[in-house]
Amino acid sequence: MIVAFTTGLSDQVASGALPLAALVAALAGLVSFATPCVLPLVPGYLGYVTGLSDVALERRSRGRMVVGALLFILGFTLVFVLASMFVASAGRALVEHRELLMRIGGVVVILMALVFLGAGSQRTFRLPIKPATGLAGAPVLGAVFGLGWAPCMGPTLAAVLALNLAGDASITRAVVLAVAYCLGLGLPFILIAAAYERWAPVSSWLQRHQRAIQVVGATLLIIVGTLLLTGGWDAITQWLQIRLISDVQVLI
């Protein structure tokens, strides 16, 4: 059993350092939350998913806000998971060109990082869908958010999709990375819903440092893109396999 566990862990790291890729995906999700596409609209989303009324958000049921946020996150998670699975399926069909796809993905991520810094424009598009207010419409609103704001969050989302192609492009890997991204993007929604009365100073701080956050996010994307383009990502995964997995085997 120990041998099987060690072999499975070795295969997982060898297939593209899934834990490392998941961490990068989660960080990309956090960066996406702090973008101008999402941050200013948080109160509006929370108000919509809890039901439009004259009651201030600070006075609404905390439990209802948290449930609404969870349903909202479920909606856009479904969209991003399906998108990631689609890319993974296409990647598996071209598995013999994995190295080329990885390098192309690296170029795309670097270009997206430049867009993130302000080169070009990040746009959204409106869908002809108006979800019902309240908890019943929260998942639909989340799905609309995922579809309509995907172009705006394209730079960070592109990095997550490229990281899937950097591994074995399996459906499992695609789902894990998409869920990690959605956790990074969605966790702030839950925390804000649970303690909305403390949101104002946090929002103010994030808005004051929004440019710095964008620069940090773009730097992360450029690093990931460069590693994919130059083959450095594979070098890191091989290092992890040699150093970490060998150490585990020795200790066992």
Side-chain angles (χ1 to χ4, degrees):
M1 184 174 295
I2 293 177
V3 174
F5 170 78
T6 305
T7 302
L9 185 58
S10 177
D11 291 343
Q12 185 184 60
V13 173
S15 68
L18 183 56
L20 177 61
L23 176 60
V24 173
L27 290 175
L30 282 172
V31 171
S32 294
F33 175 82
T35 62
C37 307
V38 180
L39 186 62
L41 304 178
V42 172
Y45 285 128
L46 291 179
Y48 203 98
V49 300
T50 54
L52 299 177
S53 69
D54 295 331
V55 180
L57 283 176
E58 294 88 343
R59 298 181 180 179
R60 297 191 187 187
S61 167
R62 182 174 301 178
R64 184 177 179 85
M65 288 182 67
V66 170
V67 172
L70 287 171
L71 293 173
F72 175 75
I73 294 167
L74 179 63
F76 68 69
T77 297
L78 179 61
V79 170
F80 292 144
V81 165
L82 290 176
S84 189
M85 290 173 64
F86 174 79
V87 172
S89 298
R92 287 181 67 83
L94 301 170
V95 65
E96 65 273 15
H97 304 295
R98 172 187 171 276
E99 185 174 343
L100 176 61
L101 290 174
M102 184 173 67
R103 296 185 189 282
I104 292 174
V107 172
V108 172
V109 172
I110 293 173
L111 292 176
M112 290 293 98
L114 297 178
V115 172
F116 204 64
L117 285 173
S121 60
Q122 294 172 277
R123 300 182 178 182
T124 62
F125 59 88
R126 289 183 176 274
L127 297 176
I129 302 173
K130 187 176 181 180
T133 61
L135 298 181
V140 180
L141 181 64
V144 170
F145 165 79
L147 292 171
W149 265 254
C152 187
M153 293 183 289
T156 51
L157 194 56
V160 175
L161 297 177
L163 285 174
N164 184 52
L165 296 178
D168 55 6
S170 68
I171 298 298
T172 300
R173 181 182 174 88
V175 171
V176 170
L177 293 183
V179 170
Y181 176 81
C182 292
L183 285 175
L185 176 60
L187 183 59
F189 280 100
I190 298 174
L191 295 177
I192 293 166
Y196 187 78
E197 65 278 2
R198 301 178 183 177
W199 167 238
V202 175
S203 176
S204 178
W205 185 90
L206 288 174
Q207 289 179 356
R208 288 197 309 271
H209 296 85
Q210 200 164 71
R211 184 57 182 172
I213 294 172
Q214 284 184 305
V215 170
V216 171
T219 301
L220 172 65
L221 293 178
I222 290 173
I223 291 173
V224 171
T226 302
L227 288 173
L228 293 173
L229 177 62
T230 62
W233 185 267
D234 280 343
I236 290 177
T237 61
Q238 291 171 7
W239 181 87
L240 286 173
Q241 183 182 19
I242 293 172
R243 298 290 181 178
L244 300 184
I245 302 306
S246 295
D247 288 346
V248 171
Q249 290 174 330
V250 169
L251 288 176
I252 291 175

